[in-house]
Amino acid sequence: YLGGEAVAEAAVDLLLGKVNPCGKLAETWPLRVEDTPCYEQFGYRAPLVQDVEYRESIYVGYRYYETFRVPVRYEFGYGLSYTTFLYENLRVIREKGKWVASCSVSNRGKMAGKETVQLYVKNSQGDMIRPAIELRGFQKIFLEPGETKEISFTLTERDFSVFDTEQNAFVCVEGEYDICMGASVRDIRLGETIRVEGQIPMRGQKEKLPSYFPGSGEPFAPTREDFVALYGRELSHFTNPQRGSFTMKNSLRQLAQVSTEGKVALWIAERVGRLMTLGKPKNDPEVMMMIEGICDGNMDSVVNQSNGLVKYRWMKQLIEKANR
C-alpha cells in the first residue's frame, strides 16, 4: 500500500517487531466495489457520455459510509499497533467563543509506540443535508510504555457550520453535537454532548433518512430525478457549443461536428494516436486512453502534452474556421 522502494525493509522491521506500526488509513476500504457511492456513475458501469455527474454530492469517502451505515472492510482512520492506548478524562470547555476539547492518552503496553488521536463531531440531526460525522482534527503522539500525555483541540463556529447559498457564506447551525475522541471513525473512545447556538435554527429532527438515500447498506445509486428533488431545481446539463462559441477548452471531436477542417484534423489525430501505439490492439486500455485524450480532450491540453508536435496556432486556426 503506497510503500515505495523501501517497502520490503519496512515490512520486515514491522513483522519482526523492530518498530511499532503507527500508520492510519486516510480513506475507507470498502468490502466490494459495488459499495462505493459512485459505482453507478463512473467506470465500466457508466455509459460513455459527455456528462459526468458527481451524484454522491457531499457524501464522499467516510462521510458516505458513516452517514448511510454501510459495512466496510477497514474504516477511515484505522490502524494497527503492538501496544494498547487508553483514552481518559474527556473535557470540553467553552472559552471566548471557542470550544477546547482535551483528553489524556496512556500507553498501557510494553512497547513504545505512536497513536493518532482523532477528533470527530457528530452533527446535529436537523432537517438539512450534511454528513452524520466529520473529522475536525488529529494529533500523532509518541508514548513510552506507561507514559501518559494530554492533548487538546480547538473548535470554532466554523466546525458546526454549513454553507448557505443565499448568504454565500458558512453559517453556524444550532443544536446538540457530540464531541468524539477516537482511534478511528468507528473506534470512538470518548464522547461528550454540547449545545451550540447558531445563526440557523435546527429545523426539526429527522425520523429517518430521505427515501432516495437507502441507509441500510445497499449500494448508493440515486437517480438524476432523486437529485433534482434533493436540490429543488434541475441539474445543469452539458450541451455542445454553437458556432461562434468554440474555444481552446473544446475538443477536436466537437469541432468536427460543424467544420470540414475539424473533421480532417480529427481523422489525422485518430491515426496519429494509432501510430503512437503500434503493435497493440484497439481495445487496449492504453490505446483507448491515448486516442480519447487526443480526440475528446481540451485542445489546449492536447497542445501542452504533445511536446511541441502540435502547434498552438494550428488549433487557433481550426477554432476560427469552426466559429465562422
Side-chain angles (χ1 to χ4, degrees), residues 221-233:
T223 66
R224 186 182 182 90
E225 290 71 27
D226 291 332
F227 271 79
V228 170
L230 174 64
Y231 292 114
R233 57 179 170 79

Side-chain angles (χ1 to χ4, degrees), residues 24-278:
K24 300 278 188 169
L25 288 182
E27 63 281 305
T28 306
W29 284 32
L31 288 167
R32 54 181 188 159
V33 68
E34 290 86 353
D35 292 336
T36 57
C38 58
Y39 175 66
E40 297 289 337
Q41 282 77 48
F42 291 88
Y44 71 93
R45 288 279 298 181
L48 184 62
V49 294
Q50 299 195 68
D51 278 1
V52 177
E53 297 172 351
Y54 290 85
R55 293 195 189 172
E56 62 266 48
S57 182
I58 61 174
Y59 299 106
V60 177
Y62 75 90
R63 294 170 182 82
Y64 162 65
Y65 295 101
E66 301 312 309
T67 302
F68 303 109
R69 303 183 294 278
V70 179
V72 300
R73 187 171 302 279
Y74 301 111
E75 72 271 17
F76 177 82
Y78 174 85
L80 297 173
S81 177
Y82 287 131
T83 190
T84 56
F85 299 98
L86 177 66
Y87 290 57
E88 294 179 301
N89 305 320
L90 174 63
R91 296 174 298 281
V92 183
I93 302 173
R94 183 75 185 269
E95 292 182 354
K96 299 179 180 179
K98 299 180 180 180
W99 294 263
V100 177
S102 62
C103 75
S104 60
V105 181
S106 304
N107 183 348
R108 289 302 179 91
K110 297 180 179 180
M111 187 173 186
K114 296 178 183 178
E115 171 68 332
T116 301
V117 181
Q118 300 157 47
L119 172 69
Y120 293 92
V121 171
K122 282 190 177 179
N123 287 322
S124 174
Q125 294 298 298
D127 181 21
M128 60 183 57
I129 303 301
R130 64 195 307 201
I133 189 170
E134 293 181 276
L135 179 73
R136 287 296 181 240
F138 62 91
Q139 292 185 38
K140 196 167 194 175
I141 56 174
F142 176 80
L143 294 170
E144 295 286 353
E147 185 179 8
T148 299
K149 288 184 179 178
E150 184 166 306
I151 61 169
S152 64
F153 300 88
T154 299
L155 297 166
T156 67
E157 282 194 351
R158 178 64 180 269
D159 295 304
F160 308 102
S161 298
V162 297
F163 190 81
D164 188 329
T165 55
E166 293 183 1
Q167 301 184 50
N168 197 33
F170 281 93
V171 182
C172 184
V173 182
E174 73 174 39
E176 292 188 342
Y177 294 82
D178 291 340
I179 308 302
C180 305
M181 298 277 198
S184 78
V185 71
R186 294 193 177 181
D187 185 7
I188 301 300
R189 307 290 181 86
L190 302 170
E192 182 173 323
T193 302
I194 64 171
R195 176 77 187 180
V196 174
E197 303 298 329
Q199 292 82 42
I200 297 180
M202 191 173 67
R203 298 189 294 263
Q205 192 79 8
K206 289 181 183 176
E207 294 183 0
K208 60 181 180 179
L209 294 170
S211 60
Y212 37 79
F213 292 142
S216 57
E218 310 94 0
F220 175 54
T223 66
R224 186 182 182 90
E225 290 71 27
D226 291 332
F227 271 79
V228 170
L230 174 64
Y231 292 114
R233 57 179 170 79
E234 181 60 45
L235 302 180
S236 60
H237 186 71
F238 175 87
T239 56
N240 281 316
Q242 305 299 314
R243 287 187 185 276
S245 65
F246 288 102
T247 69
M248 289 290 286
K249 297 300 180 184
N250 293 113
S251 68
L252 287 173
R253 198 177 301 280
Q254 290 172 330
L255 262 64
Q257 296 177 20
V258 300
S259 164
T260 301
E261 292 83 1
K263 291 180 181 178
V264 173
L266 180 65
W267 184 88
I268 294 173
E270 289 175 333
R271 277 142 189 83
V272 168
R274 287 295 296 143
L275 286 172
M276 295 171 68
T277 55
L278 278 178

